[in-house]
Amino acid sequence: AQSVTQLGSHVSVSEGALVLLRCNYSSSVPPYLFWYVQYPNQGLQLLLKYTSAATLVKGINGFEAEFKKSETSFHLTKPSAHMSDAAEYFCAVSVNTGGFKTIFGAGTRLFVKA
Amino acid sequence: NAGVTQTPKFQVLKTGQSMTLQCAQDMNHEYMSWYRQDPGMGLRLIHYSVGAGITDQGEVPNGYNVSRSTTEDFPLRLLSAAPSQTSVYFCASSVGRGSYGYTFGSGTRLTVV
């Protein structure tokens, strides 16, 4: 069965600093990987996805993530944090094993300090 | 397009009551899922459907039923509400298998007292 681990339930950065949110996955078959963002009192929005094409994936709002098979990681980064990036971020893994299930990590709340 | 529409947005139930959370999408998506979101636990899959007439259980299916009679609608039924079912419920849909990502509804905040 697949699983997702997000390292750090809270991350705090200063405005303009690098954002790094960590995600490790476990899957017995090649996975699809996703990052979603959730703003307060809203549903989740897709930031970016890895689907076995390029290992470096660019998403919306300046975010990108790199798939590293050897490390089973899919960390999310942004070179310069903005106040509007403050939100909760979820990593998710999806595999086709006769059905279709997407499993989410526990989430990382990003705080951005002025 | 409305996307994924969930109703109601808020609901308070008494223990033992039953209710149905509604979910409808207008994107002709085959895949739909229900998740619950609890603090510190992320989203946990309750039930999912790969098309009309086909449903399957997720990680936490106990106490919930689903059906998928049309492509558009995927209601979630709470059979006998318990305080442990207090949560925020999200419905999501996807155009295809695995690689497309989900479109989420805005959620239903349910409190069971």
Side-chain angles (χ1 to χ4, degrees):
Chain A
Q2 71 268 35
S3 65
V4 177
T5 302
Q6 291 185 239
L7 302 177
S9 58
H10 297 85
V11 170
S12 181
V13 300
S14 297
E15 192 172 22
L18 171 72
V19 176
L20 171 60
L21 304 182
R22 300 176 187 273
C23 172
N24 288 89
Y25 70 92
S26 173
S27 175
S28 58
V29 298
Y32 300 121
L33 296 162
F34 307 86
W35 276 99
Y36 289 84
V37 60
Q38 184 182 33
Y39 298 102
N41 300 314
Q42 295 186 24
L44 280 70
Q45 302 173 32
L46 182 65
L47 264 182
L48 51 79
K49 60 183 180 182
Y50 166 76
T51 59
S52 76
T55 56
L56 182 63
V57 181
K58 295 187 183 299
I60 62 173
N61 300 336
F63 284 93
E64 62 182 35
E66 186 172 9
F67 172 69
K68 292 187 176 181
K69 183 178 179 180
S70 61
E71 299 176 8
T72 61
S73 69
F74 190 57
H75 302 332
L76 181 70
T77 60
K78 182 175 181 178
S80 177
H82 191 273
M83 297 296 289
S84 61
D85 294 327
E88 189 154 22
Y89 293 80
F90 292 91
C91 183
V93 60
S94 179
V95 297
N96 291 325
T97 53
F100 173 48
K101 294 183 182 180
T102 299
I103 303 299
F104 286 80
T108 297
R109 185 166 296 278
L110 176 66
F111 297 92
V112 182
K113 299 175 292 186
Chain B
N1 284 345
V4 178
T5 302
Q6 290 185 238
T7 56
K9 293 190 181 300
F10 302 94
Q11 183 71 49
V12 179
L13 286 180
K14 294 182 178 180
T15 298
Q17 287 185 317
S18 62
M19 79 161 294
T20 299
L21 307 185
Q22 301 292 343
C23 176
Q25 52 92 8
D26 62 358
M27 298 170 286
N28 201 32
H29 285 176
E30 288 294 322
Y31 297 86
M32 298 185 74
S33 297
W34 276 102
Y35 290 87
R36 59 176 290 173
Q37 183 177 28
D38 302 292
M41 303 187 74
L43 279 78
R44 291 181 292 168
L45 181 63
I46 304 172
H47 287 285
Y48 66 102
S49 169
V50 299
I54 306 170
T55 64
D56 205 348
Q57 296 182 350
E59 303 169 83
V60 288
N62 293 341
Y64 307 95
N65 274 356
V66 292
S67 60
R68 184 96 180 270
S69 57
T70 67
T71 298
E72 294 77 21
D73 299 300
F74 191 43
L76 177 72
R77 297 181 188 84
L78 279 69
L79 308 174
S80 177
S84 61
Q85 293 179 305
T86 293
S87 187
V88 181
Y89 291 85
F90 288 100
C91 179
S93 72
S94 177
V95 67
R97 285 183 176 273
S99 64
Y100 292 89
Y102 274 121
T103 299
F104 278 82
S106 58
T108 295
R109 186 174 295 274
L110 176 68
T111 302
V112 182
V113 297

